[in-house]
Amino acid sequence: MTSGVGVDNADWVRPFGSAADGGFQVAVAPTAPNPAPGWRHTTLRVAECPPAGEVEHSSGEEETLVVPLVGSWRVEVTGADGTSHAADLPGRASVFDGPTDVVYAGRGSTVRVVNTTDGTGRVALAGAPATRAATPIPYRHLRAEEVPVELRGAGRASREVRNLGLPDVLDADSFLVCEVVTPAGNWSSWPPHKHDENRPGEETELEEIYYVETRATDPRGTDPVGYLRVYGSTATRPLDVLAEVRTGDVVLVPHGWHGPAVAAPDADLYYLNVMAGPGPERAWRICDDPAHAWVREAWPHEEVDPRLPFPSDLRDR
């Protein structure tokens, strides 16, 4: 389970299974049991299901993005207008095996997901309250080959970003959703950055969820861990989170600087990011911590980690 030394971990870190709700082992939402203090803008539900197992979610005012984490899934959506849609998502063996198909459902939808693989599957329902558009945004099935993959950073700050639900990829009301994969020994969310103020053209105010998975790269099966740091950007908004994380754990970012996200030398690190906020613009605009912003200047002189993009063969490491 998660451990750490941050004095605010109890408010902002959710070990897998500690924030369950019904069939979901992870439930982060303003309406979820034991919500984080003042949490308002983002939601995440993760279900782990046996073969043919299923969960259902009535979205109410939320929009939803269905993201297979492990396994294949059938997704059935009934929209607010009563129309029905269904998609069979091939998914993937693990989050380290490349992008996946996803399904978008607008507010007022009922979403049913069924595990269609032979083994245990895991699926995420990312979301946000969606009240900007006059009518719910239509259903969409985004295929894996349509998901842009970006290699960001360089050297030991190399990581892979899969832009599942950003504005230039997917029409949505409020949320921004992406996946980040960091090879063993590397740092991501680096340099530390924040997005907790609305400053037109410079910064957008966004809550953020980090849902984590890890994978051992040593065949002896070492305990795969990662580490995430969140800290306050002003004296009037203190924050101190330093968490050791494993598969299924969640770290919440209400405000402040966040980074690094550290992959241990013997474990790859994955996280699903869900962001949304109260501002008028659906955009990811960030401000770097001035103490570390210079790191970006070194990237043009370094090579991107050759292990990227994933998947890559562990035997070649």
Side-chain angles (χ1 to χ4, degrees), residues 15-79:
F16 184 68
S18 67
D21 185 16
F24 296 98
Q25 287 77 35
V26 173
V28 176
T31 57
N34 301 314
W39 203 254
R40 294 188 296 150
H41 302 293
T42 55
T43 68
L44 179 69
R45 295 170 178 86
V46 177
E48 194 169 76
C49 296
E54 63 181 72
V55 288
E56 188 172 294
H57 172 59
S58 296
S59 69
E61 289 300 306
E62 297 175 17
E63 59 186 349
T64 304
L65 190 69
V66 180
V67 183
L69 301 170
V70 176
S72 302
W73 295 82
R74 180 169 178 80
V75 181
E76 299 173 355
V77 176
T78 302

Side-chain angles (χ1 to χ4, degrees), residues 210 212 226-230 241-245 251 259-262 269 271:
Y210 279 68
V212 172
Y227 296 87
L228 270 72
R229 176 73 171 135
V230 187
V241 172
L242 177 56
E244 182 177 287
V245 290
V251 176
V262 181
L269 176 67
Y271 47 88

Side-chain angles (χ1 to χ4, degrees), residues 66-101:
V66 180
V67 183
L69 301 170
V70 176
S72 302
W73 295 82
R74 180 169 178 80
V75 181
E76 299 173 355
V77 176
T78 302
D81 61 358
T83 58
S84 296
H85 308 269
D88 290 304
L89 309 187
R92 49 198 171 177
S94 82
V95 294
F96 300 99
D97 290 313
T100 179
D101 287 29

Side-chain angles (χ1 to χ4, degrees), residues 18-212:
S18 67
D21 185 16
F24 296 98
Q25 287 77 35
V26 173
V28 176
T31 57
N34 301 314
W39 203 254
R40 294 188 296 150
H41 302 293
T42 55
T43 68
L44 179 69
R45 295 170 178 86
V46 177
E48 194 169 76
C49 296
E54 63 181 72
V55 288
E56 188 172 294
H57 172 59
S58 296
S59 69
E61 289 300 306
E62 297 175 17
E63 59 186 349
T64 304
L65 190 69
V66 180
V67 183
L69 301 170
V70 176
S72 302
W73 295 82
R74 180 169 178 80
V75 181
E76 299 173 355
V77 176
T78 302
D81 61 358
T83 58
S84 296
H85 308 269
D88 290 304
L89 309 187
R92 49 198 171 177
S94 82
V95 294
F96 300 99
D97 290 313
T100 179
D101 287 29
V102 298
V103 161
Y104 174 88
R107 70 174 185 266
S109 298
T110 298
V111 180
R112 177 175 176 259
V113 293
V114 183
N115 178 12
T116 57
T117 48
D118 294 335
T120 299
R122 214 161 33 250
V123 64
L125 276 61
T131 57
R132 291 174 177 157
T135 59
I137 292 176
Y139 166 96
R140 183 175 173 192
H141 175 191
L142 183 73
R143 301 183 186 280
E145 57 268 25
E146 299 177 87
V147 175
V149 176
E150 172 190 357
L151 301 186
R152 189 177 295 171
R156 287 299 179 182
S158 299
R159 60 271 203 183
E160 173 185 340
V161 183
R162 304 168 186 156
N163 295 319
L164 304 174
L166 296 189
D168 57 348
V169 179
L170 183 73
D171 188 22
D173 186 290
S174 298
F175 64 41
L176 302 101
V177 182
C178 67
E179 299 180 318
V180 180
V181 184
T182 308
N186 285 12
W187 286 22
S188 55
S189 287
W190 191 253
H193 57 279
K194 74 179 184 75
H195 37 70
D196 58 11
E197 298 178 81
N198 278 317
R199 296 187 294 139
E202 296 185 34
E203 186 177 353
T204 44
E205 182 182 352
L206 302 167
E207 287 179 346
E208 185 164 9
I209 299 172
Y210 279 68
Y211 166 82
V212 172

